Amino acid sequence: MSHKPLKPGEEATDTPLGADATLGFIGHVETPWKRLSDCPKRADPEGPESLVVVNAPWDRALEGVEGFDWIELYLWFHKARRDLLLIAPHHADGPRGVFSLRSPVRPNPIAVTNVRLIAREGARLRVAGLEALDGTPLLDIKPGRCPYA
Amino acid sequence: MSHKPLKPGEEATDTPLGADATLGFIGHVETPWKRLSDCPKRADPEGPESLVVVNAPWDRALEGVEGFDWIELYLWFHKARRDLLLIAPHHADGPRGVFSLRSPVRPNPIAVTNVRLIAREGARLRVAGLEALDGTPLLDIKPGRCPYA
């Protein structure tokens, strides 16, 4: 993967990250955001509709999900680089540690996003408020909390 | 790994989960809970102190974390079985899909827990409110939200 050049004060590590456990994708999301630059910075529960597609046999594990108004999606940000230690965000004066930021760039790029469940249609969930790139792999779904609360 | 027998209505899958991406452990947690049966069901911000230990070079990415009162820990529940589709929880009448529960048993057993940051001491964070098993691998740290809010 080719990466943008580092900004002043940013730091990457040469130490390879271990491969200590494996993830299995259980599906993917289909969203209106076709390029990373299109993705909204924050989820908007009044935003356009997206689709969560769950592969067999994991669609069986959706039983009961239809009872929730909000669900948490666990996504794998497969486009993110994983070697950065310090990042210089737009909103800050100088570089900061990756663990003091919610940037998608991190050693294990797992994102948890809370979306509004519109409807379940078999192995597909229609949701609102998803800010992820179209095609992002899905890791997990959990009952969520209303973000207005 | 040997597993407890399934309860009536519970279902596991024989379909192997893919190995679509790898995780690198960036550290681990040290908690008072030495057996799964000791672990509290919920994090308690007034609970006993635990330690988050971050391995080099990732300790460098902690810069700025000390400014937060609450942090989210992303943990890998390495003891959890990953093949269950339907679970019969104690609190429910019958079996329910794994994705309608917040059980630690799931295809990709990632837990996000919000803890109170007491102090940073170099590559170690002293925290309160951690309910995970002693030795649980650490995947990520993000600025958190106060659970009282």
Side-chain angles (χ1 to χ4, degrees):
Chain A
M1 218 182 299
S2 71
H3 296 303
K4 283 192 289 189
L6 296 185
K7 288 187 266 182
E10 290 190 333
E11 268 185 43
T13 177
D14 290 332
T15 309
L17 188 69
D20 300 304
T22 59
L23 294 170
F25 300 157
I26 59 159
H28 68 278
V29 298
E30 297 180 2
T31 77
W33 325 114
K34 307 301 175 194
R35 290 175 304 185
L36 281 175
S37 55
D38 296 338
C39 296
K41 287 280 177 201
R42 283 166 192 282
D44 172 9
E46 306 305 326
E49 199 171 305
S50 293
L51 211 56
V52 180
V53 181
V54 178
N55 302 334
W58 295 102
D59 53 334
R60 183 92 178 103
L62 288 172
E63 207 162 292
V65 162
E66 55 280 350
F68 294 94
D69 292 325
W70 298 89
I71 54 174
E72 283 178 3
L73 304 179
Y74 283 60
L75 303 172
W76 182 249
F77 278 178
H78 58 310
K79 302 274 189 188
R81 64 186 288 178
R82 301 178 65 177
D83 61 341
L84 289 192
L85 299 171
L86 297 181
I87 299 180
H90 294 295
H91 61 77
D93 276 346
R96 289 170 57 181
V98 160
F99 300 143
S100 73
L101 296 165
R102 296 187 67 94
S103 157
V105 170
R106 29 210 337 119
N108 295 299
I110 300 160
V112 181
T113 184
N114 202 29
V115 295
R116 188 163 60 82
L117 179 59
I118 299 168
R120 176 181 168 197
E121 293 166 356
R124 289 159 175 259
L125 306 175
R126 288 168 47 210
V127 302
L130 186 48
E131 79 284 36
L133 189 70
D134 184 49
T136 297
L138 179 69
L139 300 174
D140 202 356
I141 300 170
K142 297 185 190 179
R145 293 172 289 261
C146 170
Y148 299 124
Chain B
M1 219 180 298
S2 71
H3 297 302
K4 282 191 289 189
L6 297 185
K7 287 186 267 182
E10 290 190 330
E11 267 185 42
T13 176
D14 290 331
T15 309
L17 188 68
D20 300 305
T22 59
L23 293 170
F25 299 158
I26 59 159
H28 68 279
V29 298
E30 297 179 3
T31 77
W33 325 113
K34 308 300 177 195
R35 290 176 303 186
L36 281 176
S37 55
D38 296 339
C39 296
K41 287 279 177 203
R42 282 166 192 280
D44 172 8
E46 306 306 326
E49 200 171 304
S50 293
L51 211 55
V52 179
V53 181
V54 179
N55 301 335
W58 296 102
D59 53 333
R60 184 93 177 100
L62 288 172
E63 208 161 292
V65 162
E66 55 280 350
F68 294 93
D69 292 325
W70 298 90
I71 54 175
E72 282 177 5
L73 303 178
Y74 283 61
L75 303 172
W76 181 250
F77 277 178
H78 58 310
K79 302 276 189 186
R81 66 186 286 178
R82 301 177 66 177
D83 60 341
L84 288 192
L85 299 172
L86 296 182
I87 298 180
H90 294 295
H91 61 77
D93 275 348
R96 290 170 58 182
V98 161
F99 301 142
S100 73
L101 296 165
R102 295 188 68 94
S103 158
V105 170
R106 29 211 335 122
N108 295 298
I110 299 160
V112 181
T113 182
N114 202 28
V115 296
R116 188 164 59 83
L117 178 60
I118 300 168
R120 175 181 168 196
E121 292 166 356
R124 288 160 175 259
L125 305 175
R126 289 168 46 211
V127 303
L130 186 47
E131 80 284 35
L133 190 69
D134 185 50
T136 298
L138 178 69
L139 300 174
D140 202 356
I141 300 170
K142 297 185 191 179
R145 293 172 290 261
C146 169
Y148 300 124

